[in-house]
Amino acid sequence: MKVSFFPGCSLEGTAREYGESIEEVCSSLGIELEELKDWTCCGASSAHCTNEFLSIALPARNLACAEKLESGPDHSLRSLLQPSESCGRSIDL
Amino acid sequence: MSEKPLLLDTDRRFRDIVIESAGKEVFNCYQCNKCSAGCPVAFAMDLLPHQVIRSVLFGKKEKVMSSGTIWLCASCETCTTRCPNEIDIAQVMDVLRQLHYESGHETPQPKILYCTLLFSTVLKKPAGSMNLAWSETFQSKAAISRKSSKKVPGKTILNWQLRCFYGESLSFFPHGSKGVKDVRTLFNQAQEHKKV
């Protein structure tokens, strides 16, 4: 199984150990992670505090990246894995 | 000094702006306190979440805007999940923060506000998010010493950085993304989408 993957900033920074365990768990479950191309920070915990437009636009940009990946040559990428809680919240909205 | 009579201090426009963004469910609040009882940061708040909702409904703009609660809220959505009337309390807090930021009111929690603003500044930098913690400490030092009388000693910050670096919670190289240009465009567009 292959899913697209949005790591978010903290998984490569302050929550690096969490990112490593996600990769480890997915590989032992046989899930292949395809990282989004050109993803940017979704602005969680900061952008939604100051501007409503940014709270929608920044996550939407990343969803558009995911959509691009889905419509690419690999049609199996139908779901998006997004392990970080705050990013999940902003993308959910 | 005696307090103003209840109805003279109401700002209906303020209430309407909040309700417009956070939904009409806010009217359904019957003060059951479930939000405040579950809130993990309630111990530090001067105005509890259910009191914020009540104050919003009464249009008590000054009371809400001058409380530290809106910036202490961690956006964990425990309140939203617990609310029996399906009020999105976390969204109410978001709207209040946006209004507060635009109005330029003083806050009892200036450091949280600076931290949020610094985060937004760092997002627009070409190195993107990965250098966040590094630049954040550098800049927060500058911001805190500029805007508040309490200074963070340089030695403390250096210690913190070294600890992060050797504990491997920070990568040496930043996450480069071609999307930073888009992000900057979005930030520029956001200037046109203000609440008031």
Side-chain angles (χ1 to χ4, degrees):
Chain A
M1 194 177 136
K2 211 172 173 185
V3 293
S4 24
F5 180 50
F6 174 72
C9 318
S10 47
L11 250 61
E12 296 184 0
T14 44
R16 198 158 135 188
E17 69 286 352
Y18 182 43
E20 278 162 16
S21 15
I22 291 279
E23 276 169 30
E24 199 62 39
V25 166
C26 285
S27 78
S28 41
L29 288 174
I31 300 170
E32 215 179 308
L33 299 176
E34 175 90 22
E35 194 173 317
L36 295 187
K37 213 175 155 230
D38 291 334
W39 63 268
T40 51
C41 177
C42 61
S45 81
S46 148
H48 61 83
C49 294
T50 52
N51 197 293
E52 198 175 13
F53 173 78
L54 281 180
S55 75
I56 296 164
L58 287 174
R61 196 198 157 271
N62 288 308
L63 282 179
C65 291
E67 204 176 51
K68 220 185 263 175
L69 211 60
E70 190 194 315
S71 57
D74 198 348
H75 285 288
S76 59
L77 292 166
R78 291 223 154 257
S79 35
L80 174 70
L81 177 68
Q82 201 301 104
S84 165
E85 190 271 334
S86 284
C87 306
R89 175 182 179 256
S90 67
I91 283 183
D92 244 19
L93 288 173
Chain B
M1 222 168 72
S2 61
E3 268 188 43
K4 279 185 196 167
L6 194 69
L7 289 171
L8 284 182
D9 188 26
T10 57
D11 187 342
R12 291 185 82 173
R13 201 174 127 66
F14 166 71
R15 184 192 71 180
D16 292 344
I17 293 174
V18 176
I19 304 257
E20 197 186 317
S21 303
K24 285 201 170 67
E25 291 86 4
V26 181
F27 282 122
N28 296 345
C29 177
Y30 50 49
Q31 297 285 298
C32 66
N33 275 18
K34 270 197 95 176
C35 48
S36 305
C39 180
V41 267
F43 69 93
M45 288 175 171
D46 47 357
L47 208 63
L48 292 170
H50 75 278
Q51 294 170 322
V52 170
I53 299 291
R54 197 56 156 180
S55 308
V56 165
L57 287 175
F58 275 137
K60 299 274 180 199
K61 188 177 179 183
E62 282 305 313
K63 190 174 181 183
V64 175
M65 289 300 184
S66 58
S67 78
T69 299
I70 48 176
W71 288 103
L72 278 166
C73 166
S75 303
C76 68
E77 293 197 351
T78 306
C79 46
T80 307
T81 315
R82 286 169 66 98
C83 182
N85 290 322
E86 295 181 346
I87 303 172
D88 194 346
I89 302 156
Q91 178 67 23
V92 173
M93 294 290 182
D94 268 356
V95 181
L96 292 173
R97 276 188 288 236
Q98 290 159 11
L99 286 169
H100 181 276
Y101 171 63
E102 284 172 18
S103 71
H105 265 72
E106 286 283 312
T107 169
Q109 301 291 340
K111 282 185 193 169
I112 306 178
L113 175 59
Y114 299 148
C115 193
T116 306
L117 296 184
L118 287 170
F119 193 104
S120 306
T121 328
V122 175
L123 284 189
K124 290 180 276 183
K125 298 255 160 78
S129 52
M130 285 283 284
N131 268 1
L132 178 73
W134 282 102
S135 11
E136 208 171 35
T137 37
F138 281 121
Q139 295 189 45
S140 60
K141 189 194 167 198
I144 289 168
S145 58
R146 207 171 43 236
K147 302 219 173 170
S148 126
S149 53
K150 225 179 180 182
K151 282 186 184 174
V152 180
K155 212 172 147 191
T156 315
I157 288 176
L158 186 69
N159 270 344
W160 187 86
Q161 284 168 338
L162 286 175
R163 245 187 13 236
C164 278
F165 193 66
Y166 285 112
E168 291 187 1
S169 58
L170 287 175
S171 305
F172 191 73
F173 295 107
H175 161 80
S177 170
K178 284 177 190 161
V180 183
K181 251 187 202 166
D182 295 350
V183 172
R184 248 178 262 161
T185 320
L186 289 177
F187 266 89
N188 289 336
Q189 283 175 14
Q191 296 297 321
E192 295 155 23
H193 291 80
K194 290 205 168 170
K195 285 223 154 330
V196 190

